[in-house]
Amino acid sequence: MSCLYYRDSHLYIENINLKDIAEEFGTPCYVYSRSAIETNWRAFDEAFKTISHHICYAVKANSNIAILGLLAKLNSGFDIVSLGEMERVIAAGGDPQKIVFSGVGKKQVEIERAIEKKIHCFNVESEPELERIQTIASRLNTTVNIALRINPNIDPHTHSHITTGLNESKFGIDINDVISLAKKISALDSVQLIGIASHIGSQIVHLDPFLKVIDRLLDVYKQLQQIGINLQHINIGGGLGITYHDEHPPGIREYAQALQDKLHQQNIRVIIEPGRAIVGNAGILLSRIEYLKHTQHKNFAIIDAGMNDLLRPALYDAWQTILPVESRQTEKKLYDIAGPVCESADFLGKDRELALNPGDLLAINSSGAYGFSMSSNYNSRCRPPEILIDGDHATLIRRRETIDELFASEKTLDLAHCK
Ligand SMILES: *Cc1c(COP(=O)(O)O)cnc(C)c1O
């Protein structure tokens, strides 16, 4: 459910009028609801309560340290994909022993530092990665927990850019190679196999692919049991979709129930790695209309947020609801909502029926996940601030980037000596 609602023709998050946010912090800016984030996290925790479970929030969905801190306070674990994300979690007060480390390209320094911090487990995505972890752990005289990320070859029926569990995908280990690899691991003394994992994609709106994944993982789990390899956990990844437009994803409760029904018989812990389902609908991007531009073919609303601030529409052709912060009774027109970036792909929404005036504020809904975390400085634009609303209070949790910061780490050349 969205965190936005209208009161007296004005758009609110919790008790705050978004118009006041724009006045205080300027636009564009990201605005999140604390209560929505916590409610979603708790919904997962509550829904899985009948079995042993561990929620590892996928940090890449939204990695602001204030948000990570809120989740750490709820005792959340974290799924990370880089050293940077690990350091964020630790800076936010997260417990390293609740971190699982995913990703196909873990570098040596990343593995070393994660071992040093004693994270819970590496989700290993290839045999060479396994060998690298074994070598490092052996050199550091320690034993490291690993899970094998399995590629189950299941189509989640989502956008191809966010499909990760098909044979042609770079992620995970072929399901047919898992048993022999597990046997090999038994002979290694610096790594301990404690689980199997899978993550087949994102924005999945049907239960069926999740059920297929669990079946395949349980199948592998039992095969391993038969050869004397006993696992502590099964990690089913993240991927639960949210409603952006007219999708009807299973609710958190329904999703959890279906998975628990399959896991009940086994005395095994489940790890889940939700990202989008926790933060996606807990945040918006607030932007102001700079110009209305009418051509013979189209009406454009040119706004002050672009694809560098919110990439999803340009990258995935994603549809996000766009709402006026102050609703007008005047006649609606069809608009393309475009940003200022010099790319034709720079749009936030197409063919939207809205009544607009220059200077109006727009809220781009469902921007809490893969919004700020995918933002960039393209076109030398400063990244927007992030604001967390908690009841009657709005807190700046990341200030707007400054022009100085844009090139602070660059250097001009001394050209005097090369004529
Ligand atoms: C991105 C990712 C997730 C989170 O996916 P969502 O669709 O945001 O829930 C979980 N696990 C892994 C390994 C990921 O790469």
Side-chain angles (χ1 to χ4, degrees), residues 148 150 173-186 193 196 219-227 229:
L148 293 177
I150 296 174
I173 293 161
D174 191 313
I175 191 156
N176 300 308
D177 300 336
V178 171
I179 302 295
S180 63
L181 196 57
K183 284 183 191 158
K184 211 167 150 180
I185 293 168
S186 312
L193 183 64
I196 44 177
D219 195 44
V220 172
Y221 169 70
K222 285 172 195 160
Q223 286 181 51
L224 289 172
Q225 217 170 23
Q226 274 160 18
I227 56 170
I229 298 172

Side-chain angles (χ1 to χ4, degrees), residues 58 60 79 102 149 199 201-203 238-240 273-276 370:
K60 74 176 185 294
D79 169 56
S102 304
R149 174 165 174 184
H199 172 75
S202 198
Q203 184 54 14
L240 181 61
E273 302 171 341
R276 191 188 308 268
Y370 307 104

Side-chain angles (χ1 to χ4, degrees), residues 13 131 166 186 225 282 306 367 386:
I13 289 180
E131 283 158 13
L166 282 174
S186 312
Q225 217 170 23
S367 300
E386 296 174 282

Side-chain angles (χ1 to χ4, degrees), residues 310-325:
L310 179 64
L311 187 59
R312 296 187 65 260
L315 184 64
Y316 308 130
D317 234 342
W319 200 100
Q320 295 186 213
T321 302
I322 300 178
L323 296 168
V325 168

